[in-house]
């Protein structure tokens, strides 16, 4: 339902509404008040009427760029600008032989949604071999590991959260018994400094935090790669607790800001985006989906509650 033709333009379709997704604080593409086929023809005496989500004529509104050829750009797109943008195109068709004039009226509807990039964090899993599960040193080791890793990525304003582990006994094919710590933690960009940054400069907040946390995740990957190397080449004897080779894994985890969510069915063309919650839905926290209100409230876009 999105038809971007290289010129930052989206064409209408008389058969169905066209979905358009605009990143918050940016300008929308030009919405063209005709379909692609009609745009290739000569259109006689065209007249365009654009109506915004609030039912008002968009001609003369300061936040839009409306061209003589009926193209509409919504500038500095905000959550509250989401909704239906409709254009009525009237033009004439002149019969070649009789010169008879017929007025044609066509309507185009664009559903324009604000979206944000998903906020990224990374779930890390890693295993360490230990002497026995019932040792206090296991707790101290995992706590120290989290502190070391947090220190390693602190220059990126990221940190380690939700650090935990479980110890399991494992029987090997040779019938020996081993003990391993299954350690899990989250590489998270949301330290207090980011809240302050996002208030000061909300325009590229997700882009900056996502770039930083990706760099932090890569740094932690290098840490365990180096640990593997050191165990093989630097230690004359194997430490009491040591890294299990090739046990490091990392999984990206997405979250959306309050008032936004993902919906693979409704927004197939922006499935990875955090799209503004529509009327009748809301998102109060950093979940990935918008919830449905029990009663028909939350009539606005981007609701964080039903009331």
């Amino acid at each position: 339902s999105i038809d971007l033709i290289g010129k930052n333009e989206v064409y209408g379709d008389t058969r169905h509404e066209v979905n358009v997704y605009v990143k918050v604080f940016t300008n929308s593409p030009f919405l063209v008040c005709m379909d692609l086929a009609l745009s290739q023809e000569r259109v006689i005496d065209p007249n365009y009427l654009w109506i915004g989500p609030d039912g008002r004529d968009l001609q003369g509104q300061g936040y839009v760029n409306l061209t003589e050829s009926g193209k509409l750009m919504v500038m500095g797109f905000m959550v509250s600008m989401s909704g239906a943008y409709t254009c009525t195109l009237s033009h004439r068709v002149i019969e070649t032989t009789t010169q008879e004039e017929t007025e044609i009226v066509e309507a185009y509807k664009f559903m324009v949604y604000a979206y944000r990039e998903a906020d990224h964090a990374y779930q890390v899993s890693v295993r360490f071999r230990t002497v026995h599960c019932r040792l206090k040193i296991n707790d101290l080791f995992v706590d120290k590991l989290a502190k070391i890793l947090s220190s390693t990525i602190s220059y990126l304003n990221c940190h380690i959260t939700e650090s935990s582990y479980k110890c399991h006994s494992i029987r090997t094919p040779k019938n020996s018994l081993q003990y391993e710590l299954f350690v899990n933690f989250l590489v998270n960009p949301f330290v207090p400094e980011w809240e302050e940054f996002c208030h000061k400069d909300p325009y590229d907040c997700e882009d900056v935090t996502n770039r930083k946390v990706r760099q932090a995740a890569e740094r932690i990957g290098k840490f365990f790669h180096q640990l593997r190397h050191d165990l093989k080449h630097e230690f004359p004897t194997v430490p009491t607790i040591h890294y299990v080779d090739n046990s490091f894994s990392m999984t990206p985890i997405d979250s959306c800001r309050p008032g936004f969510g993902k919906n693979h069915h409704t927004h197939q063309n922006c499935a990875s985006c955090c799209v503004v919650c529509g009327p009748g839905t809301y998102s109060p926290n950093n979940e990935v989906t918008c919830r449905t209100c029990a009663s028909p409230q939350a009539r606005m876009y981007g609701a964080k509650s039903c009331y």
Side-chain angles (χ1 to χ4, degrees), residues 50-170:
W50 278 98
I51 302 296
D54 58 2
R56 296 180 184 177
D57 186 347
L58 292 174
Q59 184 70 46
Q61 298 290 343
Y63 59 89
V64 301
N65 177 6
L66 191 52
T67 70
E68 291 183 354
S69 57
K71 298 177 183 180
L72 172 74
M73 174 184 283
V74 187
M75 299 181 294
F77 204 83
M78 308 286 285
V79 170
S80 59
M81 296 176 177
S82 300
Y85 288 77
T86 58
C87 180
T88 303
L89 165 64
S90 60
H91 62 98
R92 297 183 185 280
V93 175
I94 302 177
E95 172 61 39
T96 306
T97 54
T98 64
Q99 294 296 298
E100 181 181 347
E101 297 183 6
T102 305
E103 185 177 36
I104 303 295
V105 179
E106 293 170 308
Y108 300 93
K109 183 177 181 180
F110 299 84
M111 291 302 300
V112 187
Y113 301 97
Y115 81 91
R116 290 179 177 273
E117 299 290 348
D119 291 312
H120 300 319
Y122 291 87
Q123 180 71 47
V124 175
S125 299
V126 62
R127 303 197 317 274
F128 290 85
R129 192 156 294 147
T130 186
V131 177
H132 201 282
C133 284
R134 296 175 182 174
L135 293 176
K136 286 187 176 180
I137 195 174
N138 294 337
D139 291 334
L140 297 173
F141 172 81
V142 173
D143 184 58
K144 185 66 175 178
L145 176 66
K147 289 178 179 177
I148 291 172
L149 292 175
S150 278
S151 176
T152 301
I153 60 177
S154 62
Y155 74 99
L156 293 166
N157 287 340
C158 296
H159 63 162
I160 301 299
T161 61
E162 300 179 26
S163 175
S164 66
Y165 80 95
K166 288 185 178 181
C167 187
H168 296 279
S169 58
I170 300 170

Side-chain angles (χ1 to χ4, degrees), residues 101-273:
E101 297 183 6
T102 305
E103 185 177 36
I104 303 295
V105 179
E106 293 170 308
Y108 300 93
K109 183 177 181 180
F110 299 84
M111 291 302 300
V112 187
Y113 301 97
Y115 81 91
R116 290 179 177 273
E117 299 290 348
D119 291 312
H120 300 319
Y122 291 87
Q123 180 71 47
V124 175
S125 299
V126 62
R127 303 197 317 274
F128 290 85
R129 192 156 294 147
T130 186
V131 177
H132 201 282
C133 284
R134 296 175 182 174
L135 293 176
K136 286 187 176 180
I137 195 174
N138 294 337
D139 291 334
L140 297 173
F141 172 81
V142 173
D143 184 58
K144 185 66 175 178
L145 176 66
K147 289 178 179 177
I148 291 172
L149 292 175
S150 278
S151 176
T152 301
I153 60 177
S154 62
Y155 74 99
L156 293 166
N157 287 340
C158 296
H159 63 162
I160 301 299
T161 61
E162 300 179 26
S163 175
S164 66
Y165 80 95
K166 288 185 178 181
C167 187
H168 296 279
S169 58
I170 300 170
R171 188 185 66 80
T172 68
K174 296 180 180 180
N175 288 321
S176 64
L177 197 62
Q178 297 177 347
Y179 300 92
E180 289 188 3
L181 307 178
F182 288 64
V183 182
N184 294 284
F185 57 85
L186 203 63
V187 184
N188 202 318
F190 296 107
V191 294
E193 289 87 344
W194 281 124
E195 290 297 327
E196 183 180 347
F197 170 80
C198 289
H199 280 300
K200 287 181 180 177
D201 189 6
Y203 295 92
D204 58 356
C205 183
E206 292 96 340
D207 295 338
V208 174
T209 55
N210 285 339
R211 185 173 68 250
K212 293 282 189 182
V213 76
R214 186 171 62 250
Q215 291 172 341
E218 291 170 356
R219 182 70 187 84
I220 286 175
K222 290 178 181 177
F223 174 91
F224 284 106
H225 180 77
Q226 184 66 39
L227 197 60
R228 174 189 178 191
H229 174 272
D230 291 348
L231 275 173
K232 286 186 176 181
H233 304 287
E234 303 294 334
F235 287 87
T237 58
V238 178
T240 304
I241 300 178
H242 60 275
Y243 171 65
V244 176
D245 201 10
N246 295 320
S247 68
F248 172 79
S249 66
M250 187 161 52
T251 306
I253 296 176
D254 286 353
S255 62
C256 295
R257 299 292 173 91
F260 291 80
K262 292 185 178 185
N263 190 316
H264 298 274
H265 300 290
T266 306
H267 304 297
Q268 293 180 8
N269 290 308
C270 206
S272 64
C273 309

Side-chain angles (χ1 to χ4, degrees), residues 4 8-10 20-22 27-31 72-74:
L4 291 174
N8 194 33
E9 295 178 346
V10 181
V20 182
Y21 301 91
V22 184
N27 298 338
S28 76
F30 275 109
L31 311 181
L72 172 74
M73 174 184 283
V74 187

